[in-house]
Amino acid sequence: MIGDWLDIGPVDQITPGTARTLPVVGHDEIAVFRTQANEFYALVNKCPHKQGPLSQGIVHGNVVACPLHNWNISLKTGEALGEDKGCVPTIPLRVDAGRIYLLRSAVIGKRAA
Amino acid sequence: MNAPTTLSEKDRTAQVRQRLVVIGNGMAGCRAVEEILARDPARFDVTIFGAEPRVNYNRIMLSPVLAGEKAFEDIVINGDVWYSGNGITLVSGDPVVSIDRATQTVIAKSGRVEPYDRLLIATGSDPFIIPVPGKDLAGVVTFRDLDDVDKMLAAAEKGGSAVVIGGGLLGLEAAHGLSLRGMKVTVVHLMPTLMERQLDEAAGYLLKTELERRGQTIVTGGDTAEIVGKDGHVSAVRLKDGRELAADIVVMAVGIRPGTTLAKSAGLEVERGIVVDDHMVTSDPAIMAVGECVQHRGNCYGLVAPLWDMCRALADNACEQPSGYEGSVTSTKLKVSGIDLFSAGDFSGGDGAEDIVMRDAARGLYKRVVVKDNKLVGAVLYGDTADGSWYFDLLKRGEDISDIREALIFGQAFASGGALLDPNAAVAALSDDAEICGCNGVSKGTVVASINAGACSLDAVRSTCKASASCGSCTGLVESLLALTLGGEVQSGPKTMCKCTSFGHDDVRRLILEKNLRSIPQALQELHWKTPDGCSSCRPALNYYLLCAWPGEYEDDQKSRFVNERMHANIQKDGTYSVVPRMWGGLTNPKELRAIADVVEKYNAPMVKVTGGQRLDIFGIKKEDLPAVWADLNAAGMVSGHAYGKSLRTVKTCVGSEWCRFGTQDSTGLGVKLERMTWGSWMPHKFKIAVSGCPRNCAEATIKDFGVVCVDSGYELHVGGNGGIKVRATDLLTKVTTEDEAMEVCAAFIQLYREQAHYLERTAPWIERVGLEHVKTGLFGQPETVKRLAARFRHSQTFCQDDPWAERVAGKDADLHQHLAEVRPLQMENAL
Ligand SMILES: Cc1cc2nc3c(=O)[nH]c(=O)nc-3n(C[C@H](O)[C@H](O)[C@H](O)COP(=O)(O)OP(=O)(O)OC[C@H]3O[C@@H](n4cnc5c(N)ncnc54)[C@H](O)[C@@H]3O)c2cc1C
Ligand code: SF4
Ligand code: FES
């Protein structure tokens, strides 16, 4: 487990219905979301439209509305919903004994664009 | 102990029977043995070790024991007779302390050594204890076994106060029991809603309300800092926000952790739980594990139903008829008498998943089912759980529900009723005197009559016969009646607020006041929202409406605010922010200018710009630098300019009589006064004011939401101007003679706009929608109105003229600005 999964700390650092950010040196910043129903998701913190910081959007259900132009992005798949087309990479995440883990290879797998 | 046997039989036993040792005398361990015995009673010599000094009992019934509904004898599953009758050796009150895999023996605390051919680990789980000071004081208990229950009962005997930390299933059952036993109970829960794992915001709100009605105190969002003791015994619980709750007993029920210590030190593969395959075999083929201590295909379970499936697979394999376990779908019920609550499956929604929500506020009912790919994947029921098992069955069988989708939410009786598949048909089948609207007591006959008399829209029905005009739970029924009675001619009503509700903005605003709604979850529940937690368009609107309705009382909801307001700065296209400090009336001085210049240099802001509203805008600040920037600006006496908010932005002024040769009045002075009066107020949309010193109008007051044009005889007050996408010049509202009157009308006009406009409607479209006459009547129709509106405005201002920047500088909501952590890949060269 250690090795493959990065421990990024306890779940309660994120208030339900919000997101926080995780910068990765040399790679894309990651947004870690916690929904109102207490599901956790991680996405690259860049809207597929014009790179808006998704972590700053309003979270509803498991969708985030991008703060720049209000595209709705699925937290599960990273895909833009509705009429909009585009997809942002998702980062496999798991919660274990109250802590959040991200799949290491996915965190550092993609170079910053 | 085994009964004495003849020599030859003993020989046979030694030859054929394998020695099975079980660690854990709980629900899974004993059930596994039962399953094995049922298949092949002669296969094993069984020895069971139990840490607890008693026989196998039904752990989930500890809650009724605590509540006084059952006694220990009632919850024993297997008594002494079972052990002796099946030749099982029970070693109780003697926990196993180590496993020696090389010699295939286990060693108990007493020193007893027991050899095994097959070992079964069923150690269950350990309650999680939050590592706060005072956790070891006497009087701090967990809720796991009978000893814990005995401790709670002893405490309840003496009466006093109990604090239960953890508002999940277990915590609430403990709280319920203690409260029935006469203790004053407070539940402290870290999350904003109770049982957040099983319930969503809405159902959690209903549950909280019900528990409070029963006299419990529920503290959500409560983070325990310390358990305070006196003479070695608990006396109180202190929360991080400083609150102290008196406590004669503290129950920790914050979660459980699989009991893996033994397995780990024996070198078995352990992740979150002991890793097992589909036959419940661990990484050592001679050792099996079952129950809460295991991890199967990545999942750990904390409920009994999956254990039964595991035990079957385990026994099949141990008796050489391998079947295999494939994981379980679980459901939960809260065992608190009188509260019906059921939750099953995955209700986190997600892609392609659709929520069907039914809320009936009058009956305290909430139902939510989640459908994906025409299958039911999750269900939450509150208030009426009769259909729980039906939903759970549909869910487990993965049945295609497309045929009954429309009626699914109404439950089994409705959905399986063949002819009733179409909800309209179901409504058609109702008798004329069937009640449609419970709030207003309107029958089907009355609704149909009013439709026949010409009410051909939902709104018309609402205003003529009052059906659906109150809580709205019957809106669907009324719509069905409209469709039935009129065929295709239903007129769509006024635009709804968003797709989550059938109400328009005006209805929502009116109902918030009428029904005394005080929070977003409450509004969602009482107004029958169709989505579990709204969307990005209704949440900010509801937040504003509540804030406007209950100044000083409503607690603002950060997560329902657009990023700019949440961060108190303007987000720009590259994700950085810009910061605009307030300059009263557009005035500034060397100290402020110096502070701004210093900030620009210190934080490398790439640009400073004079805005259209006569303020200075500093660009390119990172979210983590914002608090520091504000601290520097605050130090020079500057506060937030709210350039980011649906709020009063700027008051633009010209130089007026003080300097200008044409000026008739002190436009700058009045502008500053107006800004001092109105700053910080939240509005339906951004709001701008300007004051010009004469009709030359250098401050462009006639394209502002509120504009003052000074003239010789006094002040012309203009409203509804907009320089935005659609330019609109103001309408003249009135003319007054003194500054004080101008201020009073300004306050009253703003309040009227705040109380009546739709969220995100600026004054220009608002006035065009309702008409200037409406606004004039609203203000001057009756003698006292201006005064009353202005008083309401001033009252609400007493709560919001705090500088939001200063609060952030002082550390409020620091997590909004800080990153979680930072990842620095070790092999940067490779990565790069
Ligand atoms: C108060 C309460 C209410 C609950 N309500 C429900 C409910 O309504 N519905 C539901 O599905 N589930 C409920 N549960 C959960 C349910 O009881 C568990 O899922 C179930 O008991 C797990 O079975 P198990 O055999 O894995 O663990 P347990 O039943 O906990 O058994 C493990 C046993 O192993 C013993 N043990 C541990 N280590 C050692 C050792 N080293 N040596 C010897 N013995 C050891 C322990 O003393 C314990 O007796 C409830 C639990 C509690 C505590
Ligand atoms: S509006 Fe009139 S008073 Fe004000 S600066 Fe212009 S000319 Fe002078
Ligand atoms: S950048 Fe996200 S919607 Fe435009």
Side-chain angles (χ1 to χ4, degrees):
Chain A
M1 183 172 89
I2 324 251
D4 291 345
W5 294 87
L6 273 174
D7 181 342
I8 57 164
V11 293
D12 36 280
Q13 344 170 60
I14 312 178
T15 315
T18 72
R20 294 190 65 187
T21 44
L22 181 78
V24 185
V25 175
H27 301 268
D28 283 333
E29 181 168 281
I30 291 168
V32 186
F33 292 85
R34 174 176 194 164
T35 69
Q36 207 72 258
N38 274 295
E39 294 282 311
F40 290 81
Y41 299 98
L43 305 179
V44 165
N45 192 19
K46 273 185 182 176
C47 178
H49 177 218
K50 292 192 172 172
Q51 277 75 58
L54 295 173
S55 59
Q56 310 295 70
I58 291 178
V59 179
H60 53 103
N62 33 28
V63 172
V64 60
C66 174
L68 291 196
H69 317 96
N70 206 32
W71 277 29
N72 278 304
I73 309 295
S74 159
L75 296 177
K76 265 199 169 157
T77 62
E79 258 163 89
L81 302 174
E83 297 295 290
D84 302 317
K85 293 276 165 291
C87 189
V88 52
T90 56
I91 315 288
L93 174 153
R94 53 187 253 192
V95 170
D96 200 340
R99 298 186 73 84
I100 303 169
Y101 296 85
L102 297 182
L103 188 64
R104 183 188 299 266
S105 56
V107 170
I108 57 175
K110 222 184 131 267
R111 279 280 314 279
Chain B
M1 275 281 135
N2 285 348
T5 46
T6 62
L7 234 181
S8 62
E9 204 182 330
K10 208 174 173 185
D11 281 351
R12 192 190 76 94
T13 307
Q15 228 175 11
V16 186
R17 289 205 181 192
Q18 290 193 304
R19 288 161 305 184
L20 170 67
V21 171
V22 181
I23 309 177
N25 187 32
M27 304 206 50
C30 290
R31 181 57 165 255
V33 172
E34 284 179 44
E35 292 279 350
I36 291 173
L37 290 175
R39 283 167 182 69
D40 187 353
R43 182 173 290 265
F44 295 104
D45 258 336
V46 183
T47 303
I48 304 179
F49 283 86
E52 292 178 60
R54 50 186 72 91
V55 293
N56 171 225
Y57 62 93
N58 189 346
R59 191 174 306 283
I60 68 181
M61 288 300 174
L62 286 177
S63 301
V65 169
L66 177 65
E69 290 153 8
K70 288 233 153 60
F72 180 70
E73 301 77 66
D74 303 331
I75 70 165
V76 168
I77 304 177
N78 290 307
D80 296 321
V81 184
W82 178 74
Y83 295 93
S84 56
N86 288 297
I88 299 167
T89 310
L90 170 64
V91 187
S92 63
D94 191 9
V96 170
V97 291
S98 73
I99 302 169
D100 186 342
R101 286 164 57 198
T103 60
Q104 299 210 331
T105 48
V106 301
I107 301 139
K109 194 171 173 198
S110 63
R112 179 178 181 137
V113 178
E114 196 74 33
Y116 66 83
D117 298 307
R118 302 290 287 277
L119 179 65
L120 171 59
I121 305 180
T123 45
S125 43
D126 304 314
F128 189 73
I129 312 243
I130 41 176
V132 289
K135 68 180 169 49
D136 300 319
L137 287 166
V140 179
V141 302
T142 55
F143 189 15
R144 184 72 203 168
D145 58 27
L146 190 68
D147 296 334
D148 295 330
V149 173
D150 286 340
K151 281 183 215 157
M152 285 191 244
L153 291 179
E157 200 93 307
K158 294 189 217 123
S161 309
V163 172
V164 176
I165 304 180
L169 265 179
L170 220 51
L172 294 182
E173 290 184 7
H176 172 64
L178 291 170
S179 145
L180 283 185
R181 299 272 179 181
M183 296 196 86
K184 199 176 149 294
V185 179
T186 305
V187 178
V188 175
H189 191 53
L190 185 63
M191 295 297 130
T193 45
L194 294 174
M195 285 181 66
E196 76 286 350
R197 267 171 232 261
Q198 291 84 17
L199 306 182
D200 50 28
E201 239 185 342
Y205 154 77
L206 283 174
L207 178 60
K208 180 167 182 249
T209 318
E210 173 60 24
L211 293 174
E212 284 169 342
R213 205 185 56 74
R214 293 167 171 225
Q216 295 183 20
T217 308
I218 312 286
V219 180
T220 46
D223 199 352
T224 307
E226 184 185 350
I227 299 175
V228 186
K230 210 174 117 194
D231 308 327
H233 194 277
V234 294
S235 64
V237 169
R238 200 162 48 69
L239 304 183
K240 289 205 175 136
D241 62 13
R243 268 183 287 182
E244 210 166 278
L245 311 163
D248 299 298
I249 183 169
V250 174
V251 183
M252 277 243 200
V254 290
I256 53 170
R257 240 199 316 234
T260 57
T261 328
L262 267 181
K264 225 184 244 168
S265 51
L268 296 177
E269 189 186 347
V270 172
E271 285 180 6
R272 195 150 43 116
I274 305 169
V275 177
V276 294
D277 65 11
D278 288 357
H279 307 290
M280 314 314 291
V281 176
T282 66
S283 56
D284 177 339
I287 305 182
M288 306 168 288
V290 73
E292 280 186 350
C293 58
V294 307
Q295 176 181 328
H296 172 260
R297 298 194 186 177
N299 293 317
C300 294
Y301 297 94
L303 293 168
V304 290
L307 312 186
W308 298 167
D309 300 335
M310 291 182 194
C311 287
R312 272 191 291 275
L314 177 140
D316 284 345
N317 189 54
C319 300
E320 279 148 31
Q321 309 151 346
S323 54
Y325 170 62
E326 300 183 331
S328 306
V329 194
T330 55
S331 71
T332 337
K333 275 188 160 172
L334 181 67
K335 300 192 297 299
V336 169
S337 37
I339 297 186
D340 293 320
L341 198 162
F342 170 89
S343 150
D346 172 13
F347 56 97
S348 60
D351 239 40
E354 279 177 89
D355 279 306
I356 308 176
V357 179
M358 184 178 103
R359 303 173 194 255
D360 184 337
R363 288 192 294 148
L365 232 137
Y366 173 81
K367 285 186 174 192
R368 174 176 174 206
V369 297
V370 186
V371 175
K372 190 171 178 174
D373 302 331
N374 290 326
K375 287 187 188 129
L376 185 71
V377 296
V380 188
L381 310 177
Y382 184 98
D384 176 3
T385 52
D387 284 311
S389 49
W390 179 64
Y391 287 124
F392 193 46
D393 195 46
L394 284 179
L395 195 150
K396 276 194 299 194
R397 286 188 290 132
E399 206 155 283
D400 189 310
I401 49 90
S402 32
D403 286 348
I404 54 169
R405 195 179 182 289
E406 293 293 303
L408 189 63
I409 193 77
F410 300 113
Q412 180 172 22
F414 206 73
S416 355
L420 299 182
L421 283 186
D422 170 9
N424 280 349
V427 177
L430 293 173
S431 66
D432 263 0
D433 51 0
E435 187 173 86
I436 296 293
C437 171
C439 300
N440 298 297
V442 188
S443 68
K444 176 181 163 188
T446 315
V447 177
V448 172
S450 85
I451 297 172
N452 284 334
C456 37
S457 69
L458 183 58
D459 225 39
V461 171
R462 280 181 182 160
S463 57
T464 50
C465 73
K466 286 279 168 280
S468 149
S470 298
C471 80
S473 59
C474 57
T475 305
L477 289 175
V478 173
E479 281 169 343
S480 292
L481 284 176
L482 278 162
L484 280 170
T485 319
L486 300 172
E489 308 157 43
V490 188
Q491 289 172 5
S492 53
K495 267 186 67 191
T496 62
M497 224 168 110
C498 66
K499 64 179 182 356
C500 307
T501 174
S502 54
F503 286 117
H505 286 265
D506 293 325
D507 288 324
V508 171
R509 298 206 76 163
R510 173 176 58 79
L511 289 166
I512 284 176
L513 293 169
E514 266 177 32
K515 297 171 71 77
N516 194 19
L517 306 179
R518 301 282 176 154
S519 71
I520 291 182
Q522 190 184 15
L524 298 182
Q525 169 63 23
E526 301 284 325
L527 303 181
H528 306 274
W529 239 244
K530 294 176 206 151
T531 47
D533 55 3
C535 70
S536 56
S537 83
C538 58
R539 287 195 80 102
L542 286 172
N543 189 51
Y544 169 73
Y545 292 154
L546 288 161
L547 194 94
C548 178
W550 316 115
E553 292 171 47
Y554 172 70
E555 200 177 316
D556 192 51
D557 183 31
Q558 284 283 327
K559 57 186 185 298
S560 300
R561 284 190 178 268
F562 183 65
V563 57
N564 283 357
E565 292 182 353
R566 205 179 329 120
M567 301 302 282
H568 296 298
N570 280 6
I571 195 164
Q572 302 297 348
K573 63 183 272 189
D574 63 351
T576 64
Y577 291 82
S578 75
V579 167
V580 183
R582 198 165 282 290
M583 288 176 176
W584 308 97
L587 299 175
T588 185
N589 58 36
K591 186 178 169 208
E592 289 179 354
L593 289 170
R594 217 170 271 129
I596 291 174
D598 286 345
V599 161
V600 172
E601 271 181 5
K602 187 163 158 196
Y603 300 95
N604 289 319
M607 184 168 93
V608 193
K609 159 112 186 46
V610 179
T611 70
Q614 303 174 332
R615 307 295 187 269
L616 287 170
D617 197 351
I618 309 164
F619 284 84
I621 306 289
K622 294 199 211 60
K623 76 171 181 207
E624 53 273 29
D625 286 339
L626 284 169
V629 166
W630 298 332
D632 289 358
L633 294 170
N634 278 171
M638 305 178 86
V639 301
S640 168
H642 289 84
Y644 45 78
K646 309 293 173 228
S647 63
L648 184 271
R649 297 266 171 110
T650 51
V651 180
K652 190 172 181 176
T653 61
C654 70
V655 291
S657 59
E658 210 182 334
W659 295 90
C660 179
R661 61 202 157 106
F662 301 110
T664 61
Q665 313 278 1
D666 178 13
S667 53
T668 323
L670 178 58
V672 173
K673 280 186 205 153
L674 284 171
E675 188 160 353
R676 295 250 177 228
M677 174 178 80
T678 54
W679 76 282
S681 61
W682 298 112
M683 306 266 193
H685 207 303
K686 62 181 168 193
F687 194 98
K688 298 182 175 180
I689 300 180
V691 189
S692 288
C694 83
R696 286 176 182 74
N697 195 11
C698 293
E700 295 162 334
T702 50
I703 49 160
K704 294 292 181 278
D705 296 281
F706 187 85
V708 182
V709 176
C710 305
V711 289
D712 276 331
S713 54
Y715 305 83
E716 285 177 357
L717 306 183
H718 295 255
V719 293
N722 188 353
I725 298 179
K726 193 166 160 247
V727 183
R728 181 182 196 273
T730 46
D731 293 308
L732 178 63
L733 183 67
T734 189
K735 214 187 126 187
V736 296
T737 46
T738 66
E739 268 196 357
D740 285 349
E741 287 170 285
M743 304 265 295
E744 190 81 346
V745 173
C746 175
F749 171 76
I750 287 179
Q751 188 63 10
L752 191 72
Y753 168 61
R754 279 168 40 93
E755 288 178 7
Q756 293 196 352
H758 298 171
Y759 191 65
L760 295 190
E761 187 175 47
R762 284 198 67 177
T763 55
W766 171 56
I767 286 176
E768 291 196 343
R769 180 167 62 82
V770 300
L772 181 65
E773 276 321 301
H774 171 90
V775 176
K776 282 189 169 166
T777 322
L779 285 171
F780 312 115
Q782 279 156 14
E784 294 284 284
T785 344
V786 165
K787 211 170 127 197
R788 277 204 296 270
L789 281 164
R792 283 213 287 282
F793 178 69
R794 292 200 158 95
H795 171 70
S796 80
Q797 282 299 83
T798 57
F799 306 104
C800 51
Q801 288 197 322
D802 294 319
D803 176 23
W805 287 355
E807 290 176 352
R808 290 291 167 86
V809 170
K812 185 164 175 271
D813 298 318
D815 59 322
L816 289 181
H817 302 280
Q818 287 159 2
H819 296 298
L820 276 174
E822 187 180 77
V823 180
R824 296 171 190 270
L826 279 175
Q827 290 149 320
M828 281 281 288
E829 317 77 62
N830 295 353
L832 292 167

